[in-house]
Amino acid sequence: MTDLLYSEEEEALRAAVRDLLTDHCAPADVIARAESDTPHDLALWKSLTEGMGLAGLLVPEEQGGQGASSREVAVVLEELGRAVAPVPYLTSAVVATEALLACGDEVLLGQLASGRTIGALAVGLHTPPGAVFKTVRRENAALHGELTGVADAAVADVLLVPADDGGLYAVPADAVTITPQISLDLTRPLATVCLEGVPGRRIGDAEPAVRRALRAAAGLLASEQLGVADWALTETVRYLKERKQFNRPVGGFQALKHRLAQLWLEVVNLRAAARASAAALASGEEVEVSVAVAQAYAAPVAVHAVEEALQLHGGIGMTWEHPIHLYLKRAKADSIAYGTAGAHREALAGLVDLQGP
């Protein structure tokens, strides 16, 4: 039986990441950055990667990484979700890294593990694992085409681009045209990537690499969604203890207690699903089912948790200065990232042979 409890090492990792984010990722700073032309916090990224070595958690030690597993990455993503940190951790340290692990490109893998190079898989953020993904045309040893909805492309140093010949190509980001797209979540911006006769270095086969990367992304995204939901619940409980109405704390009203109790149950269940998904990715057992279960459950809970936080904070929750809108946008954007809950339920039905009528 898989142990879903956090180990002492994982709790120590959580404490270290939370301390760093508390000091360097204040909500007001995230809001100010989201309004600027540079939404990514590269100073925070440097602290997380070069300072703490977190970019290489999935990379074996002999290839320049930390030799950890998806369980440790899940803990980091929980804390990044709790802070809606504007760093390309999921896209570079998980998605691009998993694609490179499938390809076996040790040089690029070591560069990403150090954090000094940021990678992005040039596949739309909405693409679920196992789905058909868009490719570019390879002609005369050059790549031609346009890919949309690529997360964190604007901050990437290298793009991993799937082509119609079945290959996955490493392309320097400064060789392509990257155009920002209007995205709901300002802390994880999307972009269109246009390649006009760009040379690329083939690093492996696209199909298995993209499939592995998207599966890990979907499975570990649940931990980020857990962080978002847990923040919403914790902050709402804290606020309702302090906010007074009719000379008593608002949290003392029974109707609100019931809503918070229901939300607590949902968040606890989400933690179990997210932990099971991370543990399955780490062990390689029942991965497809665990990932589908986690994603089928995570999105509705994260969105509901932040919607409840928004309502129960009253008027202050509707202001731009309060960070709730950052969490609501992240929860809504995550709900369609790497496949919707409906797509994962459909995939799960096929995996467990429980088809609908």
Side-chain angles (χ1 to χ4, degrees):
M1 184 176 176
T2 303
D3 183 6
L4 300 186
L5 298 176
Y6 299 100
S7 67
E8 288 185 16
E9 291 79 7
E10 288 165 354
E11 289 292 7
L13 175 62
R14 178 195 305 286
V17 176
R18 186 175 296 188
D19 286 347
L20 177 66
L21 293 173
T22 300
D23 292 340
H24 299 287
C25 192
D29 296 336
V30 178
I31 292 171
R33 192 170 286 283
E35 295 177 295
S36 72
D37 294 331
T38 54
H40 294 96
D41 190 342
L42 294 181
L44 176 60
W45 171 253
K46 187 173 182 178
S47 297
L48 288 165
T49 56
E50 294 183 33
M52 299 181 70
L54 299 183
L57 287 180
L58 292 173
V59 181
E61 291 184 50
E62 60 270 20
Q63 294 174 341
Q66 305 300 320
S69 74
S70 298
R71 292 178 64 112
E72 288 78 15
V73 172
V75 170
V76 175
L77 283 169
E78 280 182 42
E79 293 306 312
L80 294 177
R82 185 189 293 273
V84 283
V87 291
Y89 191 83
L90 181 66
T91 45
S92 182
V94 177
V95 184
T97 296
E98 286 282 1
L100 289 173
L101 284 167
C103 295
D105 190 298
E106 295 192 10
V107 175
L108 197 48
L109 202 54
Q111 292 172 352
L112 259 63
S114 72
R116 287 187 287 273
T117 297
I118 297 172
L121 180 66
V123 173
L125 183 64
H126 60 280
T127 311
V132 175
F133 51 88
K134 190 175 179 183
T135 61
V136 298
R137 189 177 80 259
R138 187 163 192 269
E139 190 177 293
N140 299 326
L143 302 172
H144 309 259
E146 187 176 271
L147 300 164
T148 59
V150 180
D152 294 333
V155 76
D157 300 301
V158 61
L159 296 167
L160 309 181
V161 182
D164 58 1
D165 66 347
L168 187 66
Y169 291 83
V171 177
D174 55 13
V176 306
T177 303
I178 297 174
T179 308
Q181 291 180 248
I182 297 174
S183 51
L184 176 64
D185 181 7
L186 300 175
T187 63
R188 181 173 285 148
L190 306 179
T192 297
V193 176
C194 185
L195 299 94
E196 298 175 349
V198 176
R201 178 173 65 86
R202 181 171 177 139
I203 56 175
D205 295 332
E207 179 68 31
V210 171
R211 185 179 297 273
R212 172 174 172 168
L214 295 182
R215 186 182 65 185
L220 290 169
L221 179 66
S223 292
E224 177 181 291
Q225 291 165 305
L226 169 61
V228 170
D230 198 45
W231 177 91
L233 175 61
T234 303
E235 279 300 302
T236 305
V237 170
R238 184 190 62 77
Y239 177 75
L240 293 183
K241 285 180 178 179
E242 297 175 356
R243 178 79 167 91
K244 290 189 176 181
Q245 194 76 39
F246 306 114
N247 208 30
R248 61 180 288 191
V250 175
F253 292 102
Q254 191 173 37
L256 300 191
K257 286 182 179 179
H258 287 173
R259 287 170 69 169
L260 291 172
Q262 176 61 36
L263 199 55
W264 181 83
L265 284 172
E266 292 179 10
V267 173
V268 167
N269 290 337
L270 172 52
R271 177 169 278 108
R275 291 296 294 166
S277 177
L281 285 165
S283 67
E285 298 175 4
E286 295 189 354
V287 177
E288 305 284 353
V289 170
S290 297
V291 168
V293 167
Q295 271 308 309
Y297 191 75
V301 170
V303 172
H304 180 228
V306 188
E307 286 177 343
E308 286 286 81
L310 181 64
Q311 276 201 1
L312 297 176
H313 271 77
I316 193 172
M318 298 296 293
T319 64
W320 182 261
E321 290 73 23
H322 199 286
I324 285 182
H325 64 92
L326 294 174
Y327 292 86
L328 182 59
K329 291 166 187 171
R330 174 63 69 89
K332 293 291 280 187
D334 281 357
S335 70
I336 58 174
Y338 307 116
T340 62
H344 286 284
R345 281 195 294 270
E346 189 175 339
L348 180 61
L351 290 168
V352 299
D353 194 24
L354 190 66
Q355 301 299 330

